[in-house]
Amino acid sequence: MYASTVRGLLVRGMLAGLIAGLFAFAVAYVAGEPPVRGSIAVEEAAAAKEAAPASGHAGHGGAEAPAEEEEELVSRPVQSTVGLATGVLVYGVALGGIASLAFSFVLGRVGGFSPRATAALTAAGAFTTVYLVPFLKYPAAPPAVGNPDTIGQRTTLFFLMILLSVLLGVGAIILGRRLAPRLGNWNATLAAGAGFVVATGLAFLVLPDNTDAVKPEFPAALLWEFRVASLSVQVVMWAVFGIVFGVLAQRLLAHRTDPAGTEAPARPESVLG
């Protein structure tokens, strides 16, 4: 296929990612902000409780009172609206562009699916490998929770799990394609999926657990609410992207132009050759 088609898919992927980001922002604001505010309130209450005895001792001993905390550069109302929207929309556009390139590669290589069905499979695969599998190993934790000294370690482990998950997903696709001539598409898909699950389970066992992400005294109900909200944001993001991008890609590829300048229907072949 032509570079112009790939460019067109990239633009449509970024547009679909932007639309998906708008829906995800709505979910993040409605369902995600309440547990975030609750976790911050819990942390502030714990900090005030720890500071109260120290303040009492300082008063009796004549020591100077602790300096006031520095004012936040960005207020919470701005963080929860403009800041949240900016982050989610940029995230959606970036992932939409990457997913559209992945779609361009797998179209026609994973069976004779239509562009719309391939877009749905791409979105489902991206959600599973980029978010769901790492989430199952290292679940999301609210801000202001956990030991701040371990943030770097936790981030490294999470991104390592993403990398392993993506590589295992690519390996499962390659395995399925090689098994298809002998087992058939359905059985090959089942075998490749089983191999992905087994390999992911082994990765879960090898990688260290994140034991200090959340303090033991943090309310379990609030933690559960935050994690459900985080998962919901990603589900909405990828579901909307798969639907919107599938429609846009189907229309583009259904009206693509052949070398002679006439329009031809889309064929099940990769646009990257």
Side-chain angles (χ1 to χ4, degrees), residues 219-240:
L222 189 58
L223 177 62
W224 173 257
E225 183 181 353
F226 175 82
R227 287 178 173 172
V228 170
S230 299
L231 184 60
S232 300
V233 169
Q234 293 293 327
V235 169
V236 170
M237 170 82 76
W238 287 108
V240 173

Side-chain angles (χ1 to χ4, degrees), residues 53-143:
S55 299
H57 291 312
H60 290 296
E64 294 183 358
E68 295 183 359
E69 295 182 0
E70 294 183 2
E71 185 178 353
E72 292 181 340
L73 295 178
V74 181
S75 64
R76 270 299 300 158
V78 175
Q79 293 176 12
S80 62
T81 53
V82 177
L84 179 62
T86 301
V88 173
L89 293 179
V90 171
Y91 176 81
V93 171
L95 288 188
I98 295 173
S100 67
L101 295 179
F103 166 89
S104 301
F105 179 78
V106 302
L107 181 64
R109 297 179 186 269
V110 292
F113 297 105
S114 67
R116 186 176 298 179
T118 303
L121 291 174
T122 301
F127 166 74
T128 301
T129 56
V130 176
Y131 185 80
L132 181 59
V133 170
F135 176 85
L136 293 176
K137 176 61 177 177
Y138 302 114

Side-chain angles (χ1 to χ4, degrees), residues 168-188:
L168 291 175
V170 173
I173 294 175
I174 295 174
L175 177 62
R177 290 191 63 196
R178 292 187 176 181
L179 292 177
R182 288 184 295 171
L183 303 180
N185 289 333
W186 178 251
N187 291 332

Side-chain angles (χ1 to χ4, degrees), residues 181-252:
R182 288 184 295 171
L183 303 180
N185 289 333
W186 178 251
N187 291 332
T189 300
L190 291 178
F196 175 78
V197 172
V198 171
T200 300
L202 292 176
F204 278 18
L205 293 175
V206 172
L207 290 176
D209 292 330
N210 187 12
T211 57
D212 62 347
V214 179
K215 296 178 180 178
E217 63 271 16
F218 190 81
L222 189 58
L223 177 62
W224 173 257
E225 183 181 353
F226 175 82
R227 287 178 173 172
V228 170
S230 299
L231 184 60
S232 300
V233 169
Q234 293 293 327
V235 169
V236 170
M237 170 82 76
W238 287 108
V240 173
F241 171 80
I243 294 171
V244 175
F245 180 67
V247 172
L248 297 178
Q250 185 82 28
R251 291 180 178 177
L252 173 67

